[in-house]
Amino acid sequence: MASNSKKSMSSSKGFLATTASIAASAMLARSLYYEFVPEEVRKSMFSQIKIFHNLLSREFSMVIHDKEGLTTNNVYKASMTYLSSLVSHSTQRVRVKQFDDDKSLVISLDSGQKIIDVFEGIQFKWCLYCSRNNVTSKDSDGNLSFMLSNSYSLELSCKKEHKDKALDVYLPWIMNWWNNTKNQNTILKLFLNSYEDWSSVNLHHPATFDTIAMDPELKRTIIDDLSKFKKGKDYYKSIGKTWKRGYLLYGPPGTGKSSLVAAIANFLNYNIYDLDLAQVQGNLQLKGLLIEMTNKSVIVIEDIDCSIPIKNRDSKDSYSYRPKVTLSGLLNFVDGLWSSCSEERIIIFTTNYKEQLDPALLRAGRMDMHIYMGYCSPSMFRTLVFNYHHIEHHSLFEQIEALIKDLEITPATISEHLLRSDDVDVALQELLKFLQLSKQEALDKENEKNKKNAGKKDDKKKKKKEKKNVKNDSDTDDNNDDDDSDTDDDDDDF
Ligand SMILES: Nc1ncnc2c1ncn2[C@@H]1O[C@H](COP(=O)(O)OP(=O)(O)OP(=O)(O)O)[C@@H](O)[C@H]1O
């Protein structure tokens, strides 16, 4: 550990300066807090840290592991959340990890990286360590499989003379800070995978069920389904099912599938894990990513038809394809044993081509709801106008809606036109022109097609006629031949 720490010191210099100034500005608030640390917080805190007594060193240090068995250690959570609040002010790139049972954001530093926090004039050094452990698991057939899992620990150290301050004031202060901040509203996160890690950005997608344009009845059904799911902990337990739900969103591009995913996350107040299967090296890594995800999350795999080889399970061709993640690996991910290691999750697949998916993915019970996102209807148009211009009536609505009924226009295209001007009259005029033009183009195409078809029909008729004529000719010839032969015969007879 010591050599690791030394290595990382130099690389974190710029960051330390930022941290120090933040720490100084937080000082006043701290002194108000730490006097009110409840006794039970202090007691449970001491059970979660390991103190090291090194008689030869002039430093005091303690280690806080991320987990005790399967439960995440609260002191670790609090410390990491606190450190992340310091780090989030710096510009350095960090990886983000979130804890299982609450929404507190945690930024995990690179292993070995140090943070120095100055508290009441005392320097406290924090260092994060990561170790890889072998985890053994058994599948339903009793086969053993092994995988590597990361475990983290934080080391806190300071001069020996400040040991009491660290244990009696600094750590309890952090615990108290955490208890006070964790109930505040947090910003949702969008997690993206790169190989075996997740990184995140803030999710600021404004889509809600109010702004999604879709069939009102279908919208109500989805909202009811999600509400039932959210309150369903006991229900899922009573029926012996993992507390999760699967949705398949399908339809042409630009009909709002991604927007619906964001609306679902905003509705449930869940983070989104946007799983890119192309980044995953194999089924084992997929399991690893699954384990890293937290409860209360929406997992989305976009364009599932492009992500996984279609119908690859029985096909001999699958050997030549060699997919990184196989269909069976994905099915295990969706509802295999490993998927039950967490709860309160929504899994969403999106596709433009539902008919191309392997039936195994569509099987009843795997994806609980199949939701079709279609072309814009008049009622969807009204939702979009209201979103962008906050109006419910306009003299052009009737004309526009009549055209929308006749055309296959995506909500994305309508949105794009509505956004072209802040002036609703201008925007709707432009949209009307565009729709009229589209209608004209559609009519021209139709006419062209009809002409072609008519041409083909004429050709066919012509060919039929020609064939008939040829046949008639040959029949006549045959008859003539017959006549001839008769004559010949006659000749012979003669
Ligand atoms: N049903 C809808 N309701 C509201 N806005 C929509 C809808 N469909 C599309 N939009 C608008 O069009 C944009 C693109 O739509 P979105 O990305 O959600 O479509 P998609 O179906 O996921 O497309 P793709 O299949 O290409 O990923 C959105 O940002 C949104 O502004």
Side-chain angles (χ1 to χ4, degrees):
M1 270 192 181
S3 65
N4 251 345
S5 318
K6 266 179 203 152
K7 255 187 249 163
S8 61
M9 265 306 248
S10 57
S11 64
S12 57
K13 266 185 190 161
F15 166 62
L16 297 187
T18 323
T19 310
S21 65
I22 296 156
S25 64
M27 288 266 295
L28 185 67
R30 284 168 165 176
S31 55
L32 295 175
Y33 267 126
Y34 76 78
E35 287 162 23
F36 307 109
V37 178
E39 191 49 34
E40 64 272 22
V41 174
R42 295 160 74 100
K43 269 191 189 156
S44 90
M45 190 192 83
F46 284 117
S47 67
Q48 294 175 39
I49 55 182
K50 288 190 176 63
I51 296 172
F52 289 93
H53 298 282
N54 184 346
L55 294 176
L56 298 174
S57 165
R58 289 168 63 195
E59 281 217 326
F60 156 76
S61 66
M62 66 175 105
V63 169
I64 307 161
H65 291 292
D66 61 343
K67 288 200 168 142
E68 291 293 330
L70 283 175
T71 45
T72 309
N73 190 330
N74 269 345
V75 185
Y76 179 83
K77 273 190 207 182
S79 308
M80 282 299 274
T81 312
Y82 171 65
L83 294 175
S84 78
S85 76
L86 301 180
V87 173
S88 60
H89 291 80
S90 86
T91 52
Q92 71 173 14
R93 209 179 129 73
V94 284
R95 284 178 298 120
V96 178
K97 200 173 155 66
Q98 197 205 16
F99 292 120
D100 308 11
D101 50 357
D102 59 52
K103 304 196 72 58
S104 57
L105 156 75
V106 158
I107 296 175
S108 73
L109 310 163
D110 286 331
S111 185
Q113 186 176 351
K114 272 202 169 173
I115 296 177
I116 295 193
D117 185 27
V118 182
F119 179 85
E120 297 195 350
I122 300 166
Q123 278 201 354
F124 290 98
K125 275 182 275 177
W126 289 93
C127 192
L128 180 83
Y129 296 100
C130 172
S131 58
R132 310 208 88 198
N133 306 320
N134 256 324
V135 177
T136 316
S137 71
K138 236 184 208 179
D139 65 15
S140 50
D141 300 328
N143 300 318
L144 280 177
S145 66
F146 301 93
M147 63 178 295
L148 284 172
S149 149
N150 291 342
S151 72
Y152 296 89
S153 57
L154 272 172
E155 185 188 41
L156 170 63
S157 52
C158 61
K159 283 190 181 153
K160 253 187 186 157
E161 67 222 52
H162 299 309
K163 174 187 162 194
D164 290 346
K165 198 81 170 180
L167 291 173
D168 297 340
V169 181
Y170 183 52
L171 268 189
W173 180 85
I174 289 175
M175 292 303 289
N176 218 22
W177 173 88
W178 179 62
N179 278 326
N180 280 299
T181 52
K182 75 178 173 184
N183 295 327
Q184 289 167 9
N185 277 346
T186 47
I187 299 164
L188 294 186
K189 293 269 150 192
L190 171 64
F191 288 82
L192 309 155
N193 64 304
S194 167
Y195 298 102
E196 57 185 1
D197 280 326
W198 290 105
S199 60
S200 86
V201 291
N202 288 345
L203 176 70
H204 290 301
H205 204 301
T208 64
F209 278 106
D210 286 335
T211 64
I212 288 283
M214 65 191 295
D215 173 57
E217 217 170 284
L218 179 58
K219 194 189 281 192
R220 177 55 32 217
T221 310
I222 300 170
I223 294 174
D224 288 349
D225 194 69
L226 290 169
S227 306
K228 205 170 146 200
F229 169 80
K230 203 165 180 179
K231 292 182 230 141
K233 185 172 187 163
D234 294 336
Y235 169 73
Y236 278 88
K237 207 172 174 186
S238 71
I239 59 168
K241 271 188 79 175
T242 310
W243 189 11
K244 64 182 170 58
R245 199 112 181 108
Y247 297 124
L248 174 76
L249 312 186
Y250 67 101
T255 49
K257 296 179 292 296
S258 308
S259 307
L260 182 57
V261 172
I264 290 174
N266 285 330
F267 179 77
L268 294 171
N269 209 25
Y270 288 0
N271 291 323
I272 296 178
Y273 285 82
D274 187 0
L275 180 62
D276 179 2
L277 287 178
Q279 296 284 327
V280 186
Q281 296 301 303
N283 294 341
L284 202 61
Q285 206 173 71
L286 187 63
K287 278 183 192 169
L289 284 166
L290 182 67
I291 287 168
E292 287 287 312
M293 291 177 208
T294 57
N295 292 341
K296 294 181 193 280
S297 53
V298 174
I299 303 160
V300 57
I301 305 180
E302 294 204 79
D303 300 319
I304 184 76
D305 48 293
C306 311
S307 311
I308 208 80
I310 299 150
K311 297 180 180 155
N312 71 326
R313 288 191 308 174
D314 307 321
S315 154
K316 281 175 195 153
D317 206 33
S318 61
Y319 292 102
S320 57
Y321 187 92
R322 291 206 181 283
K324 290 183 189 173
V325 173
T326 62
L327 180 63
S328 64
L330 184 68
L331 296 180
N332 265 328
F333 175 84
V334 176
D335 58 7
L337 273 183
W338 284 86
S339 71
S340 58
C341 63
S342 63
E343 50 184 23
E344 230 182 320
R345 280 183 183 168
I346 303 280
I347 299 178
I348 301 179
F349 292 158
T350 75
T351 180
N352 297 331
Y353 307 101
K354 182 184 170 190
E355 65 286 353
Q356 289 189 10
L357 297 183
D358 191 294
L361 271 174
L362 306 175
R363 206 192 65 199
R366 194 149 267 151
M367 290 286 117
D368 300 286
M369 269 181 96
H370 294 190
I371 300 165
Y372 175 67
M373 300 296 285
Y375 292 111
C376 200
S377 67
S379 81
M380 286 160 73
F381 159 69
R382 291 206 179 206
T383 308
L384 295 174
V385 185
F386 190 78
N387 286 350
Y388 299 122
H389 295 285
H390 310 291
I391 59 156
E392 288 183 55
H393 306 282
H394 195 282
S395 56
L396 293 179
F397 275 8
E398 219 173 292
Q399 263 178 291
I400 292 176
E401 286 174 10
L403 287 165
I404 282 177
K405 266 190 215 163
D406 277 358
L407 293 163
E408 286 191 338
I409 302 280
T410 63
T413 308
I414 301 279
S415 301
E416 193 202 311
H417 280 84
L418 289 174
L419 274 171
R420 286 193 182 171
S421 172
D422 287 341
D423 184 335
V424 65
D425 296 329
V426 176
L428 289 176
Q429 273 296 352
E430 288 296 313
L431 177 64
L432 182 62
K433 263 190 220 162
F434 165 76
L435 293 172
Q436 283 167 336
L437 207 73
S438 305
K439 173 90 184 196
Q440 194 51 54
E441 278 172 10
L443 281 176
D444 290 348
K445 260 190 195 166
E446 190 66 29
N447 284 340
E448 191 83 1
K449 210 171 140 188
N450 287 343
K451 256 190 205 167
K452 264 189 191 167
N453 283 344
K456 271 184 195 165
K457 261 187 195 168
D458 282 350
D459 281 353
K460 256 188 189 171
K461 263 188 192 167
K462 235 183 188 175
K463 273 184 190 160
K464 231 179 183 180
K465 221 175 178 181
E466 276 169 14
K467 245 186 187 174
K468 221 174 174 184
N469 286 343
V470 171
K471 206 173 168 230
N472 285 343
D473 285 352
S474 67
D475 284 351
T476 325
D477 285 350
D478 284 352
N479 285 339
N480 287 343
D481 285 350
D482 286 350
D483 289 350
D484 288 351
S485 60
D486 282 354
T487 324
D488 287 350
D489 285 350
D490 286 350
D491 284 352
D492 281 350
D493 281 349
F494 273 101

